[in-house]
Amino acid sequence: MAELWQCQGVTSTPGLVGAVRQGSLRELNLAVVLGRIAAAERPPSRADLAAETGLTRATVSAVVEDLITGRLVTEADPAPRSGAGRPARGLVLAGDGPAGLGLEINVDYLAACVVDLAGRVRHHTVHRADLRPHSPADALARLVDLAGRARADATAQGLTLAGAALAVPGLVDDAGTVRLAPNLGWRDVPVPSLLAVHPPLTDAVDGVPPLVVDNEANLAALGELHADPDGPASFLHISGEVGIGAGIVLDGALFRGARGWSGEIGHIPVSPEGRPCRCGGRGCLEQYAGQEAILAAAGLAGADLPADTAAARLAELAGSGAADVLGALREAGTALGVAVAGVVNLLDLDTVVLGGGYAPLAPWLRPPVLAEISRRVLTAAWSPVTVRPAVLGADAAAVGAAGSVVRRIITRPAGWLARAG
Amino acid sequence: MAELWQCQGVTSTPGLVGAVRQGSLRELNLAVVLGRIAAAERPPSRADLAAETGLTRATVSAVVEDLITGRLVTEADPAPRSGAGRPARGLVLAGDGPAGLGLEINVDYLAACVVDLAGRVRHHTVHRADLRPHSPADALARLVDLAGRARADATAQGLTLAGAALAVPGLVDDAGTVRLAPNLGWRDVPVPSLLAVHPPLTDAVDGVPPLVVDNEANLAALGELHADPDGPASFLHISGEVGIGAGIVLDGALFRGARGWSGEIGHIPVSPEGRPCRCGGRGCLEQYAGQEAILAAAGLAGADLPADTAAARLAELAGSGAADVLGALREAGTALGVAVAGVVNLLDLDTVVLGGGYAPLAPWLRPPVLAEISRRVLTAAWSPVTVRPAVLGADAAAVGAAGSVVRRIITRPAGWLARAG
């Protein structure tokens, strides 16, 4: 087993190795076993876990006991078995232990959801309101209200909220300050200090930050990654809302860029001297394929529909053959395809996921996107690119936010167990 | 020390761990010590190495002895020292052991160079010829001739060519087949089998492939990474030739994409319904900022200058204030800036390196590129992007190719030592 945790020693600070060893051994065993249970296609038995990890049966049993006591793991009902002997009991992630609180502030709605360790959504509320006229402090106060209701519901279900993540449609720095959210009109909004005047949103758990603020497109991409474990490990996830954001997932991890501000696909120029954009540039993709641009081209500008209602309404009209809407979606899909073709030429990703408001519109956006890819991507002739709707819909960012909290517990369960003990 | 090599055990195949251990220990010690010597700012002593790696003095001495015997490391002249006692002798990479052969086929030249373990260029030949009228077999035969001369020169200098890498301006698959090189007119060219009719280019060394074929922009970016060890760990390197390629370096490693075909920045659309491109698309960056586009805009089309001569000539004319050339460079820089702004919005890279034919033109390309970045990149106001010329010039791809061979020996020296012993 030593090889599993001594890898910690491969650092440039050998003096620390000895000090880390004893504490790490148990922590790493917990994380390894829990990670296997989380990733397993079928509930593994203790014997399966011993075989897979190289740990002894006795160690696995002790670790599993800790995980069960700490409400991280539970025994599944044994599968019926035709052969002789008592079937071994499989282990699954618990549905009554820690959970994550996912929050979202977007241009025209607030959302709160609770996801348990097994990834199930246990609570979900969306509050529709145009937030642009409101101050950040006011918007956050409304969100705290929504979060309080989510927490009460989680408690009633026997869950403990171990941490929260907040999705915002903008650029967030390491301190949780929203540096810029053009479509909300936010600039340099210090979210954590604005929230500090309210009671805490969740319980304190060692190793789980009480609140992480992140870009909504990033969290939506993470939500998609975890919602579709059999999907590709690398993909481009595009969230099409009023703004357009992308999450770039490479080898199962989010690529955040040099300073955490990657994914601003909405501001890729698709017509360099074209329509002016809120960002100060011109011809940004957002001005051709963002939700307001689609509504305007479809003759529905000013209809003032909330984000996912607008997408649903457009899908309904397109489905009934409305020529204006079909034309608007073709135009938006072509602009999106121009930007996506550039991204695929640059990054050589083979999967593009249409998420957020784009998910219900995928039947109409996909053909022009594919046409631009096949026309412009150098490798398209022999190496096709898959374009498909997201598994999660408009909930992806809030679900991904909550999921990011439970992923943190799964990868480092010791903090939660210390509290539970 | 165990922690250094047991990290190998963190795999999903625990059954293999025991078998790997004994062989790996020596190999890993060799690699760790050699890596430290390669990365050190000042030649480290044996005592420095022991302190840094956590290995015992005796182990370090034995490993260093092996490295010296195998001509990978040599003792530097001791630095003068004012204090008491005999100064410890520093260790440096050897200049008379293995070397890498770097080759390049581009549209209008062939190149061969030899780089020693310490990264010094020991041989460099460029053969100018328009290769478009020639068959791939013919072009490769000329290259073999160039490689033979490089090998003779290396041998005369006491070096052994341990492997070769070939840079091509196109997309290469895992088998070394050039799937597409639009500017050379190559499609599905099986380079390794075309070279198999010639004598080997280098000596056989265990663990070093005799020939790696790779995209020239990738190898140029690697060349830049290793030529500038104090530079940023993440950057976009753009090779501006007849075609335009990019190498994306993230955290000190090349990002190759899902299938190894990343970096086709030349085919990012900058004017979606604009000029037709050789790739079949329209409005690709290459048609506005590639070398032929710049020459045409400057009224120098058909001047038929070889790649680096063309860049040098343009730089000379721009330096003397030629209005046509200045206008052409401004236009090209603007198109390049539009594409780069999209890339920075997407990837959040903070450094852009102008390489290849762009390096000598950087004084004129940089201002319009920066202007487009500042106009279009969301984070530009508070988080500036550096745009600078490459440290290496037009040689970057061949030097990077040769460097990739010596990097392989530095990271896995055991194969070379098995041969040398």
Side-chain angles (χ1 to χ4, degrees):
Chain A
M1 167 55 211
E3 65 277 10
L4 283 168
W5 61 275
Q6 287 189 345
C7 186
Q8 300 269 4
V10 186
T11 67
S12 53
T13 53
L16 283 176
V17 172
V20 171
R21 279 182 185 165
Q22 288 313 314
S24 295
L25 179 54
R26 175 172 174 274
E27 290 182 15
L28 198 78
N29 286 346
L30 287 165
V32 165
V33 170
L34 188 59
R36 289 277 170 177
I37 294 170
E41 285 184 27
R42 267 177 297 190
S45 67
R46 291 166 174 80
D48 294 336
L49 292 166
E52 283 172 19
T53 61
L55 295 170
T56 65
R57 291 283 293 266
T59 303
V60 168
S61 291
V63 167
V64 166
E65 198 51 44
D66 283 353
L67 294 172
I68 290 176
T69 307
R71 293 188 295 145
L72 292 174
V73 160
T74 187
E75 288 185 321
D77 290 333
R81 195 159 138 180
S82 54
R86 192 164 59 98
R89 302 198 70 180
L91 297 159
V92 294
L93 294 173
D96 63 350
L101 174 63
L103 302 169
E104 182 176 7
I105 295 189
N106 219 311
V107 177
D108 46 10
Y109 64 93
L110 297 166
C113 78
V114 174
V115 169
D116 69 18
L117 210 58
R120 286 179 294 252
V121 177
R122 302 288 290 268
H123 171 96
H124 192 220
T125 322
V126 176
H127 175 73
R128 308 216 163 277
D130 186 345
L131 291 159
R132 284 171 285 197
H134 295 272
S135 72
D138 186 25
L140 288 167
R142 288 161 177 247
L143 189 71
V144 167
D145 184 52
L146 220 60
R149 279 186 270 159
R151 190 177 185 181
D153 187 16
T155 307
Q157 296 183 60
L159 294 162
T160 306
L161 294 187
L166 167 61
V168 294
L171 298 161
V172 186
D173 69 15
D174 290 342
T177 295
V178 178
R179 298 296 296 266
L180 183 64
N183 292 314
L184 268 177
W186 288 18
R187 187 178 284 273
D188 294 321
V189 174
V191 173
S193 57
L194 289 176
L195 284 176
V197 302
H198 298 282
L201 303 174
T202 62
D203 290 340
V205 171
D206 196 29
V208 181
L211 180 73
V212 172
V213 187
D214 202 346
N215 176 270
E216 58 101 10
N218 281 347
L219 289 168
L222 283 178
E224 186 70 15
L225 177 68
H226 295 133
D228 187 14
D230 300 328
S234 301
F235 59 89
L236 180 73
H237 180 275
I238 308 177
S239 300
E241 314 291 347
V242 171
I244 306 172
I248 304 165
V249 175
L250 303 177
D251 286 333
L254 194 65
F255 172 71
R256 292 183 174 275
R259 295 152 302 196
W261 297 323
S262 69
E264 293 299 332
I265 196 173
H267 300 280
I268 285 186
V270 294
S271 176
E273 295 310 321
R275 301 177 191 162
C277 181
R278 281 191 198 88
C279 76
R282 271 189 175 271
C284 296
L285 173 62
E286 202 164 291
Q287 297 305 319
Y288 298 85
Q291 200 173 88
E292 291 180 348
I294 299 177
L295 288 171
L300 299 167
D304 203 20
L305 297 164
D308 61 347
T309 312
R313 181 84 187 115
L314 286 167
E316 192 182 55
L317 289 166
S320 69
D324 284 359
V325 173
L326 291 172
L329 291 174
R330 205 175 311 115
E331 197 184 313
T334 299
L336 185 59
V338 167
V340 165
V343 175
V344 174
N345 268 323
L346 187 75
L347 296 183
D348 180 34
L349 292 167
D350 57 11
T351 305
V352 176
V353 179
L354 300 177
Y358 282 162
L361 300 174
W364 299 278
L365 294 174
R366 195 172 165 273
V369 169
L370 283 172
E372 293 304 313
I373 288 174
S374 112
R375 183 180 174 206
R376 298 179 185 279
V377 171
L378 238 51
T379 58
W382 71 86
S383 190
V385 176
T386 300
V387 177
R388 62 164 176 79
V391 171
L392 297 175
D395 318 331
V399 172
S404 72
V405 174
V406 301
R407 292 303 305 173
R408 204 165 272 127
I409 296 170
I410 289 171
T411 52
R412 264 172 296 167
W416 165 260
L417 291 175
R419 175 195 174 282
Chain B
M1 166 54 211
E3 67 277 8
L4 283 168
W5 61 277
Q6 286 186 346
C7 186
Q8 299 269 3
V10 186
T11 67
S12 52
T13 52
L16 282 176
V17 173
V20 171
R21 280 181 181 167
Q22 289 312 314
S24 294
L25 179 54
R26 175 173 175 272
E27 289 182 15
L28 199 79
N29 286 347
L30 288 165
V32 165
V33 171
L34 187 59
R36 291 278 170 176
I37 295 169
E41 286 186 26
R42 266 176 298 191
S45 67
R46 290 168 177 78
D48 295 335
L49 291 167
E52 285 172 20
T53 60
L55 295 170
T56 65
R57 291 285 290 267
T59 303
V60 168
S61 290
V63 167
V64 167
E65 198 52 43
D66 282 353
L67 294 172
I68 290 176
T69 307
R71 292 187 295 144
L72 293 173
V73 160
T74 186
E75 289 184 320
D77 290 335
R81 193 159 141 181
S82 53
R86 194 163 57 100
R89 302 198 69 181
L91 297 159
V92 293
L93 294 172
D96 63 350
L101 173 63
L103 303 169
E104 182 178 7
I105 294 190
N106 218 312
V107 177
D108 47 10
Y109 63 93
L110 297 166
C113 78
V114 174
V115 169
D116 69 20
L117 210 59
R120 286 179 295 254
V121 176
R122 303 288 290 269
H123 172 94
H124 192 221
T125 322
V126 176
H127 175 71
R128 308 216 163 279
D130 186 346
L131 291 160
R132 284 171 284 198
H134 296 272
S135 72
D138 185 26
L140 288 167
R142 286 164 179 244
L143 189 72
V144 167
D145 183 53
L146 220 60
R149 280 185 269 161
R151 189 176 186 182
D153 187 16
T155 307
Q157 295 182 62
L159 293 162
T160 306
L161 295 187
L166 166 60
V168 293
L171 298 161
V172 185
D173 70 15
D174 290 343
T177 295
V178 177
R179 298 297 295 267
L180 184 64
N183 292 314
L184 268 177
W186 288 18
R187 187 179 284 273
D188 293 321
V189 174
V191 173
S193 56
L194 289 176
L195 283 175
V197 302
H198 299 281
L201 302 174
T202 63
D203 290 340
V205 171
D206 196 29
V208 181
L211 179 73
V212 172
V213 186
D214 202 345
N215 176 271
E216 60 101 11
N218 281 348
L219 289 168
L222 282 178
E224 187 70 16
L225 176 69
H226 296 134
D228 186 15
D230 300 329
S234 300
F235 59 87
L236 180 73
H237 180 276
I238 308 176
S239 300
E241 314 291 349
V242 171
I244 306 172
I248 304 165
V249 175
L250 303 176
D251 286 333
L254 194 65
F255 172 70
R256 291 182 174 275
R259 296 154 299 197
W261 297 323
S262 70
E264 293 299 332
I265 196 173
H267 299 280
I268 284 185
V270 293
S271 177
E273 296 309 322
R275 300 177 191 162
C277 180
R278 280 191 200 90
C279 75
R282 271 190 175 270
C284 296
L285 173 62
E286 203 165 292
Q287 297 304 320
Y288 299 84
Q291 200 174 88
E292 290 180 348
I294 299 176
L295 289 172
L300 297 167
D304 201 22
L305 298 163
D308 63 344
T309 312
R313 180 82 186 118
L314 286 166
E316 192 182 57
L317 290 166
S320 70
D324 285 357
V325 173
L326 291 172
L329 290 174
R330 205 176 309 116
E331 195 184 314
T334 299
L336 184 60
V338 167
V340 165
V343 175
V344 173
N345 268 322
L346 187 75
L347 295 184
D348 179 36
L349 292 168
D350 58 10
T351 304
V352 176
V353 179
L354 301 176
Y358 282 162
L361 299 174
W364 299 279
L365 294 174
R366 196 172 164 272
V369 169
L370 282 171
E372 293 304 313
I373 287 174
S374 112
R375 184 181 173 204
R376 299 180 185 276
V377 172
L378 237 52
T379 59
W382 70 87
S383 189
V385 176
T386 301
V387 177
R388 63 165 176 77
V391 170
L392 298 174
D395 316 332
V399 172
S404 71
V405 175
V406 300
R407 294 301 305 173
R408 204 164 271 128
I409 296 170
I410 290 170
T411 52
R412 265 172 294 169
W416 165 261
L417 291 174
R419 176 196 173 281

